[in-house]
């Protein structure tokens, strides 16, 4: 190989190396820092039972149990820091906490500054039917000439109006509360009620004759939030959530609080 | 020829359309639209059609000065033209809220809401150009927004005298080119912040200080924001309570200063039905309270010109309690509160 060819080869190799380097993200040390500290700082607004509530003097709820389980899986201690709902993202942005676990819905408009984990709960609208109903797998598409109970003015009511344009004979009965809508189903006076999963399952605690249709009508995914630069932490959180899903821990926590 | 035919410009897909008329049996009903960030013309048009179909007679809309006015004096009118012309075609009166400083009138890193005395002239120039361009289409201009809140005043000290300086200069410039347009002071935010608070100043005290600084000479009406929060609309007003009827206390301040002839424009009002916001009510209560508040205002508060519900729709979900102030989803699905308002406002109309 001539001297010129060697120089050209070296130049090309150097350029390839430089291009390769430029494609690499610098590894953040967020997760390493938490591991060294041994503590994961969790921000939440403890005013939203059954996800997080401190009104009884003790912090408790689905997100609290989830955070503790995540801490065990990731082998770090968990501390909770309280904020108002409006201050949660600012608290995370200013490094007062490492993550937010506070029944927060994925929000694409915030993804410049924050990252959302894989979802751990769908707070969207579901159909609740009587478990003795002949149609066990009722969906909105099957609601032709059926009576649907909803809470007046709620998201379920909005969705039902939209569905009434797509299917024939959908009769909507709007009642003052979600409980009223569900009660109508227990009495056999409505084929189904469309309410959010939380309201429906809480009501079902006292009315086991109600069944929740597995297929959601809408999706409102709750996720854990990290800062966008803390990708190593996000990966750890997602790994932890995957493990907690696989071993049934998340389902057990949800069952404990909602059923 | 065929080539020229094929290369012709595409026809406009959205047109302003023929003039419409609002049919309303509740003429005080107005709504605050959120079109400043809506980029698609068909969505602007559809929003305003739905406002008219609901029976609202007016819109309140924000026109951000910073979006349009460059430091060479040029003003990009394309977007405000869309909003104003579509609203006019739908038969809607437009109450324009002007605010947000361009970067060339504020110090580096100062927030968009920052405007000190050195920039008042520039704001007045823009307001006058706006008033002249939309003569006969925009009926009133609100000078700035919630100047009694520190955040809305660019984190400067919230003094009424300072704000009246802005009002005075704007009033003079606007009236010179468009004497019939109304200049509204405010819009005052409901707050109980005491004097000296870093967050703002109680709206009742602030209004009193506005009058002491001579505001009466520079405004044709007062814009106010009055939210119900957890209280039903009939709940008695009190200086230490934030509720819907706080507007009556503001009115008392106006009367005390001999300004009883002027109207109040409620440019933001309403209730919120977010499931977890601490100041929200149930969705059914929100509907009932809103309707009751409008009936009460129409019957008992003759000095109120319009009552604008905050807010009609946002271009995309905000994913917070703010989504639960809207009447229509981003996809234009009318919420039950929209249908209830429509039923009331179009009752007895053809």
């Amino acid at each position: 190989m001539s001297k010129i060819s060697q120089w050209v080869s070296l130049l090309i190799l150097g350029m390839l190396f430089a291009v390769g380097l430029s494609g690499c993200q610098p590894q953040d040390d967020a997760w390493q820092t938490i591991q060294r500290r041994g503590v994961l700082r969790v921000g939440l607004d403890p005013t939203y039972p059954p996800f997080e509530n401190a009104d009884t003097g003790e912090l408790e709820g689905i997100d609290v149990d989830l955070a503790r389980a995540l801490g065990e899986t990731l082998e770090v201690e968990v501390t909770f820091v309280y904020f108002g709902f409006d201050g949660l993202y600012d608290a995370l942005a200013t490094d007062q906490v490492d993550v937010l676990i506070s029944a927060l819905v994925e929000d694409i408009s915030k993804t410049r500054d924050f990252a959302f984990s894989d979802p751990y709960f769908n707070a969207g609208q579901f159909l609740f039917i009587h478990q003795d109903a002949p149609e066990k797998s009722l969906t909105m598409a099957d609601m032709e000439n059926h009576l649907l109970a909803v809470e007046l003015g709620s998201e379920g009511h909005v969705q039902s109006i939209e569905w009434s344009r797509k299917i024939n004979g959908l009769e909507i009965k709007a009642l003052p509360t979600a409980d009223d809508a569900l009660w109508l189903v227990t009495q056999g006076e409505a084929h189904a009620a469309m309410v959010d999963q939380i309201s429906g399952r809480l009501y079902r605690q006292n009315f086991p004759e109600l069944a929740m249709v597995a297929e959601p009508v809408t999706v409102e995914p709750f996720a854990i939030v990290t800062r966008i630069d803390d990708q190593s932490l996000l990966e750890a959180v997602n790994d932890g959530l995957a493990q907690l899903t696989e071993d049934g821990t998340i389902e057990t926590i949800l069952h404990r609080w909602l059923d | 020829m065929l080539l020229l035919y094929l290369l012709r410009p595409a026809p406009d897909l959205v047109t302003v359309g023929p003039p419409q008329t609002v049919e309303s049996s509740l003429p005080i009903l107005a709504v605050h639209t959120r079109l400043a960030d809506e980029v698609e013309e068909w969505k602007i048009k559809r929003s305003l059609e739905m406002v008219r179909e609901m029976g609202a007679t007016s819109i309140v809309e924000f026109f951000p000065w910073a979006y349009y006015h460059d430091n060479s004096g040029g003003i990009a009118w394309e977007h405000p033209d869309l909003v104003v012309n579509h609203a006019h075609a739908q038969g809607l009166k437009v109450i324009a809220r002007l605010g947000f400083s361009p970067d060339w009138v504020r110090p580096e890193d100062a927030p968009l809401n920052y405007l000190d005395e050195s920039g008042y002239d520039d704001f007045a120039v823009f307001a006058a150009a706006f008033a002249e361009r939309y003569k006969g289409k925009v009926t009133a201009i609100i000078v700035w927004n919630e100047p009694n809140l520190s955040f809305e005043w660019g984190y400067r000290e919230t003094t009424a005298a300072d704000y009246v300086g802005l009002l005075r200069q704007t009033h003079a410039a606007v009236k010179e080119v468009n004497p019939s347009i109304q200049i509204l002071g405010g819009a005052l935010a409901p707050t109980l912040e005491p004097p000296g608070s870093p967050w703002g100043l109680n709206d009742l005290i602030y209004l009193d200080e506005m009058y002491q600084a001579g505001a009466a000479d520079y405004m044709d009406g007062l814009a106010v924001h009055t939210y119900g929060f957890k209280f039903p609309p009939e709940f008695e007003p009190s200086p230490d309570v934030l509720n819907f009827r706080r507007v009556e206390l503001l009115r008392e301040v106006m009367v005390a200063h001999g300004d009883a002839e002027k109207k109040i424009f409620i440019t933001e009002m309403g209730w919120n039905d977010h499931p977890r916001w601490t100041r929200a009510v149930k969705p059914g209560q929100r509907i009932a309270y809103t309707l009751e508040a409008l009936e009460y205002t129409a019957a008992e508060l003759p000095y109120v010109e319009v009552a604008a519900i905050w807010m009609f729709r946002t271009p995309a979900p905000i994913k917070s309690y703010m989504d639960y102030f809207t009447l229509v989803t981003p996809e234009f699905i009318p919420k039950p509160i929209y249908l209830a308002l429509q039923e009331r406002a179009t009752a007895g109309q053809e």
Side-chain angles (χ1 to χ4, degrees):
Chain A
M1 196 183 276
S2 71
K3 283 259 180 201
I4 292 175
S5 304
Q6 283 177 356
W7 276 111
V8 169
S9 303
L10 273 174
L11 189 65
I12 291 170
L13 271 174
M15 286 168 70
L16 286 172
F17 184 66
V19 168
L21 276 183
S22 70
C24 292
Q25 289 279 340
Q27 180 65 39
D28 73 85
D29 62 355
W31 177 228
Q32 260 186 320
T33 305
I34 290 163
Q35 284 178 306
R36 263 201 308 271
R37 193 199 303 140
V39 174
L40 178 71
R41 300 169 302 165
V42 175
L44 48 74
D45 163 25
T47 63
Y48 192 50
F51 277 79
E52 42 268 316
N53 185 29
D55 286 355
T56 57
E58 193 179 334
L59 180 65
E60 57 182 12
I62 293 169
D63 283 336
V64 178
D65 288 355
L66 174 64
R68 286 180 178 140
L70 191 64
E72 271 180 37
T73 305
L74 300 178
E75 298 178 342
V76 288
E77 197 185 313
V78 170
T79 59
F80 295 99
V81 189
Y82 300 175
F83 300 97
F85 180 62
D86 288 345
L88 284 169
Y89 283 96
D90 284 344
L92 182 58
T94 53
D95 196 27
Q96 296 177 63
V97 290
D98 303 307
V99 294
L100 302 174
I101 308 181
S102 195
L104 292 171
V105 179
E106 282 180 12
D107 182 355
I108 197 165
S109 71
K110 288 192 165 61
T111 50
R112 194 183 68 175
D113 302 312
F114 303 102
F116 292 85
S117 72
D118 296 332
Y120 61 87
F121 181 75
N122 177 13
Q125 302 293 312
F126 283 76
L127 288 180
F128 286 79
I129 58 177
H130 201 290
Q131 63 176 4
D132 296 336
E135 301 143 312
K136 299 291 182 204
S137 61
L138 196 70
T139 68
M140 281 307 295
D142 305 320
M143 288 294 287
E144 207 165 282
N145 301 316
H146 281 49
L147 196 153
L148 177 68
V150 295
E151 179 186 5
L152 175 67
S154 67
E155 176 63 18
H157 195 179
V158 175
Q159 292 296 327
S160 67
I161 292 169
E162 189 62 4
W163 273 99
S164 68
R165 294 172 178 167
K166 300 177 194 167
I167 52 179
N168 293 325
L170 174 65
E171 192 182 342
I172 301 165
K173 191 157 181 71
L175 295 131
T177 67
D179 286 2
D180 294 336
L182 291 157
W183 183 82
L184 224 56
V185 180
T186 66
Q187 299 306 300
E189 292 175 29
H191 292 99
M194 194 203 304
V195 300
D196 65 274
Q197 182 176 183
I198 303 167
S199 302
R201 284 176 70 168
L202 288 175
Y203 187 81
R204 201 178 54 174
Q205 289 175 347
N206 295 321
F207 295 90
E209 62 268 40
L210 285 173
M212 186 176 88
V213 175
E215 185 181 313
V217 182
T218 65
V219 178
E220 284 279 299
F222 285 176
I224 297 173
V225 192
T226 69
R227 286 177 290 274
I228 190 71
D229 292 335
D230 296 351
Q231 290 295 316
S232 59
L233 173 58
L234 180 68
E235 273 176 38
V237 166
N238 277 334
D239 289 347
L241 283 175
Q243 212 169 312
L244 294 173
T245 304
E246 197 177 316
D247 67 16
T249 303
I250 291 181
E251 201 46 57
T252 304
I253 293 171
L254 293 173
H255 181 65
R256 178 186 167 204
W257 288 98
L258 294 176
D259 299 327
Chain B
M1 283 298 282
L2 178 66
L3 188 64
L4 281 175
Y5 177 77
L6 291 172
L7 290 174
R8 76 196 188 286
D12 287 336
L13 297 177
V14 182
T15 56
V16 170
Q20 305 285 336
T21 309
V22 178
E23 307 284 348
S24 182
S25 52
L26 191 60
I28 61 159
L29 177 61
V31 66
H32 198 309
T33 43
R34 278 279 305 262
L35 299 170
D37 296 315
E38 183 52 85
V39 294
E40 294 182 70
E41 185 176 0
W42 78 265
K43 290 182 179 176
I44 293 171
K45 182 178 183 181
R46 184 67 195 128
S47 296
L48 295 165
E49 280 173 348
M50 287 186 77
V51 170
R52 172 180 56 78
E53 289 162 3
M54 186 177 77
T57 56
S58 310
I59 62 162
V60 179
E61 178 57 55
F62 179 35
F63 294 90
W65 176 29
Y67 286 18
Y68 317 131
H69 202 171
D70 69 27
N71 57 0
S72 68
I75 301 176
W77 292 112
E78 291 83 355
H79 193 272
D81 276 356
L82 288 180
V83 174
V84 172
N85 291 336
H86 276 293
H88 187 65
Q90 295 300 324
L92 298 164
K93 293 177 193 161
V94 178
I95 298 167
R97 167 159 80 83
L98 306 185
F100 271 11
S101 307
D103 54 3
W104 50 271
V105 296
R106 54 188 155 89
E108 200 177 336
D109 298 330
L112 276 163
N113 288 325
Y114 184 98
L115 182 67
D116 63 29
E117 204 172 354
S118 66
Y120 289 179
D121 256 344
D122 294 309
F123 179 83
V125 165
F126 171 72
F130 188 94
E132 187 171 28
R133 185 173 186 87
Y134 300 121
K135 207 177 273 189
K137 294 180 178 175
V138 171
T139 55
I141 284 176
I142 309 167
V143 178
W144 218 251
N145 182 54
E146 301 186 334
N148 61 319
L149 293 184
S150 172
F151 162 71
E152 296 285 358
W153 200 232
Y155 293 108
R156 297 170 61 216
E157 189 186 351
T158 50
T159 71
D162 200 2
Y163 173 69
V164 172
L166 176 65
L167 197 59
R168 182 178 60 245
Q169 284 183 241
T170 308
H171 181 271
V174 168
K175 290 291 180 178
E176 199 172 317
V177 296
N178 186 349
S180 63
I181 201 166
Q182 291 182 290
I183 295 292
L184 306 183
L188 298 182
T191 175
L192 301 177
E193 291 298 321
S197 163
W199 307 114
L201 181 59
N202 184 309
D203 45 346
L204 302 175
I205 300 171
Y206 191 91
L207 181 59
D208 186 59
E209 291 182 0
M210 274 175 64
Y211 276 111
Q212 289 174 39
D217 292 337
Y218 312 119
M219 62 183 196
D220 304 306
L222 181 71
V224 305
H225 296 168
T226 182
Y227 288 93
F229 299 114
K230 299 288 274 188
F231 298 101
E234 69 274 12
F235 198 87
E236 286 287 323
S238 170
D240 58 353
V241 173
L242 299 181
N243 64 341
F244 176 72
R245 287 179 62 191
R246 193 169 178 81
V247 63
E248 294 172 42
L249 304 182
L250 289 162
R251 166 71 177 172
E252 286 175 14
V253 176
M254 294 174 76
V255 173
H257 285 278
D259 219 12
E261 293 303 308
K262 287 183 187 154
K263 294 276 192 174
I264 287 180
F265 295 66
I266 298 175
T267 50
E268 286 183 23
M269 64 160 280
W271 279 261
N272 181 290
D273 58 9
H274 188 271
R276 69 185 294 190
W277 190 41
T278 51
R279 291 176 158 192
V281 296
K282 301 286 287 179
Q285 284 177 310
R286 181 185 171 211
I287 295 172
Y289 288 179
T290 305
L291 289 169
E292 287 163 23
L294 289 166
E295 299 292 0
Y296 177 82
T297 305
E300 306 294 334
L301 310 180
Y303 49 82
V304 172
E305 180 75 12
V306 294
I309 295 168
W310 173 263
M311 59 184 159
F312 191 68
R313 170 188 169 268
T314 55
I318 298 173
K319 297 283 184 185
S320 84
Y321 71 94
M322 293 295 275
D323 287 328
Y324 292 77
F325 274 120
T326 60
L327 304 182
V328 170
T329 71
E331 298 80 21
F332 294 101
I333 302 171
K335 292 185 177 181
I337 188 170
Y338 171 95
L339 300 172
L341 287 164
Q342 184 180 47
E343 187 180 354
R344 167 60 186 89
T346 59
Q349 305 294 314
E350 280 301 309

